[in-house]
Structures are given as structure tokens and as C-alpha cells.
Amino acid sequence: MAQQDRQQDTDQDKHPKHDKGVALLNLILQSQTWVHRRVDALRLDSEGTTRRHVSIDMTAPGEFMIAGSEGRFILPLAVLEKGVKRRLDATQGGKSISVLGREDNGALAIAMLESALVFLLDLEGDSVTVARSHLTKVVYSAGSNDADTSLAAYKAWFESTKGSVPGDRQKMLDITNSVIEQLAHNFLLFVELDCELLDTRTIVKYALNQEAPQVHRRGYKLVRFDYQIPDFGFAASQHVEIEVPAGLMVSSLEIIEAGPDDIVTNTDFDASASGQRLGHVALNPSQRFYKGRASVEVVPAEQGLFVFTKLAVVSIAVMVVLAQLVRMYNEDILGPKAEIPSPSASILLIGPALLFSWMSRNQEHNLVVELLSPLRRVLALCALVLLGTAVLAAIPVTPPVWWGGWFVIGLLTAAAVFGLIKFDQGDELPKRLARAFRRS
């Protein structure tokens, strides 16, 4: 009998001490007390996918437990952008865990926001119903236009309702409204965990496919993109990792914390002169609802296609110069039995085949395409030079065609050399040319 009483007391301890809205509000506002460390890793796979892996080191507080299905509780893990999530999965201890769907996510978020507004604005009766209606439209909005329209309607209602608010509540209202604005374009990710994990330190992971990052600045040897972290202050310690495909290197990675009016409040920087495939930065967020973003610069690996292109351009430029010498001084260079055109010139066609073998025929990440396409254009020019040389050396043509062909080959060679220099020097090339022109 005593054992049954103790079991009942234990079961009662596992039941929520607050309603779901209040419990969730406390979990969100105090997330830095129970989320100790979060590692947000963006993997740019060579197959073309961009996958986000998030690892959360946490201790789920039993004080604010939200009851889920039998023997489980519900916990918010992140704020994600609205839209279809591809290959979303969550695990704990290597085992898959349940992820709540859109309707359940939205219902919990509405309950949380409604609880906050009822307390802060002293709402009752019809005012609660109206508030719930506005919150429902904001939380379940689909698309940017719908979100902006719903948010504008909520703000108009809020301004007409709030009246005079004591100073101690105004800060909480500002935080609540910032959460509402965030949930207009994003949603809360909830998972279910076993109740045995309450008040126990554990690691939960989730992963999903992301849209490829949008490059906002492109050099000839550099691409730069930003990676937004909408719930930057969710954890007491925020880590960010960026891994790029083979053939590319992360030359610099910076995590930036921004407060009100987007004023930068804190940063961490990781850079390497030679570059590395994996960049890592970390910050302790100053405030729970400050924004965060990572700024990434990616360059080609020195030992890959870049080096090969340098060798190809130099070799072909030397070959073209020597070919011109042979054309002009053939009697002094070629033996008495040499023939032009020569049937052995078809050997030169091996060169274009080798160069085009570097052109990828498999699916690639768009970042690889963005960064390496100038080098591939240079290799294409080199292949055309070899092909044109082989044609002129193998096929008898009239003198005008002969001279015209070599003129085109010379232009293609010059274009390949200039393309390589422009890629290598990037934004510095116009500055150096301008300085050289001024000195002359």
C-alpha cells in the first residue's frame, strides 16, 4: 500500500504544475537555463544538398513539463523557418523521437502567446477571443504576404487594446511581441521525450535539408554568404560549424550577434590563411532574444582544380608560342622529312579529352558551381586551343585560313591567360592595373 502511495506521488510529480501555455512561455523565456550548449552545423554536401545538423546539450526542467502522450513530455527545441521541411528527423541517444506536426505546434504556440497577453493586458471575455483569433492567423499564416497582413492586423488590435501599461510589464510585452513577430515567419519545433529524461542532462539532435545559401557577394576567387540563426539566444552557448565540399575551403567564418536596431554586440571569428573544410565559431549570447548570423567566405582549395588550371594555361601558352616559332622558322627547326600538316597531330586531341574530364558530370552543390565555373571556362578555352592546333596541324588548309586560324588560337590563349589572372587576383586586379597605369 505504501509503495502504491509513493508511485502515485511520483506520477503526480510528473504532471504539469502549470497549464501548457504558461509552461511553454517559461521554457522559451528561460531556455538559457536548461539549454547549456547548442552546435549548429551546416554541411554543404558534394552531392548538391545542404543539410543542417543541430546537437543540443540540455537538462529538461521538470518544473515546466508539458505532458505529451503516455509516459512522455513535450519540449521545444528550435525556431525554424516556415515551409516544407525535407528529411527532418530527431534523435536522442541514437534512437528516433517523435516530432509534433503543424497543428499541434501551432496550438501550443497560440496557448503560450495567449497566456502571456491575458496576463500582461488583463484580458477577459471577448477580448481573449479576439486575441486568440489574431494569434491564430499569425501563427498559421502561410507565405510572406499572409504573414505580414496577419501581423499588421494584430499590431493594430494591440495598439487599440493595450492602453496604459505599467513599466514592469512593458518589457515583457516587448518580448512577447518580438516572439509573435518571429512566429509569423517561423514555427516552434517540438519533440516528445520519455519522462525519465526530466531533470537529467542529455543530448538531443535533429537534422533537416536546407535551401542552398544565397551568395550575396561573388569574387573571382571568393564567394560570401550569410547564414541566419533565428533563435540565436536559445542556448547559453551557441556554436556554429560550416563544412564545404571537397575542392573548396572556408577561408573565414564569423558569428555576429546583433541587438536592437541591428547594432552588433558581440562576434567570434575563425580564419585560416590556407583555408579548411570545416570552420567553427562560438559565442555566449548576451540576451535571450538577440539576433545572430554567420558570415562565411569560401575559396577554392589550392591543391585541386586551381593548380591544375594554372599548369594547363602555362603549358598551352608555351605550346602556342613554340608553335609560332615553328611556323616562322620551320626550315631551321624542323627536319627535312617533317611534314605540315602531320598525321601524328591527332595526338594533341588527348589534351582536350583530359581537360574536359575535369568538367563534372555529376550533381554538385551550387556553391561549387559558383566558385569553380570561372576555372572551368578557362579550361574550356585551353581545350579549344588544343583542338584548333590539332586541326590546323592535321588538315591542309589555304594560307588565309591558316593565318586566320592561328590568329583565333592566339586570342583564345590570351583569353585563357587573362581569365586565370583575373580569377587569381580577384578584386585586386583593377587596383593593380590602375597603380601601374599611374606609375607609367
Side-chain angles (χ1 to χ4, degrees), residues 99-137:
V99 177
L100 270 62
R102 179 174 181 269
E103 292 300 323
D104 293 330
N105 282 1
L108 285 170
I110 292 168
M112 173 187 70
L113 298 173
E114 181 184 329
S115 298
L117 291 179
V118 167
F119 170 73
L120 295 171
L121 297 177
D122 294 323
L123 300 179
E124 55 185 20
D126 292 341
S127 296
V128 177
T129 304
V130 175
R132 187 184 304 120
S133 174
H134 282 293
L135 292 174
T136 300
K137 291 178 181 178

Side-chain angles (χ1 to χ4, degrees), residues 406-420:
W406 279 110
F407 178 75
V408 172
I409 289 173
L411 289 180
L412 293 175
T413 304
V417 172
F418 179 76
L420 179 63

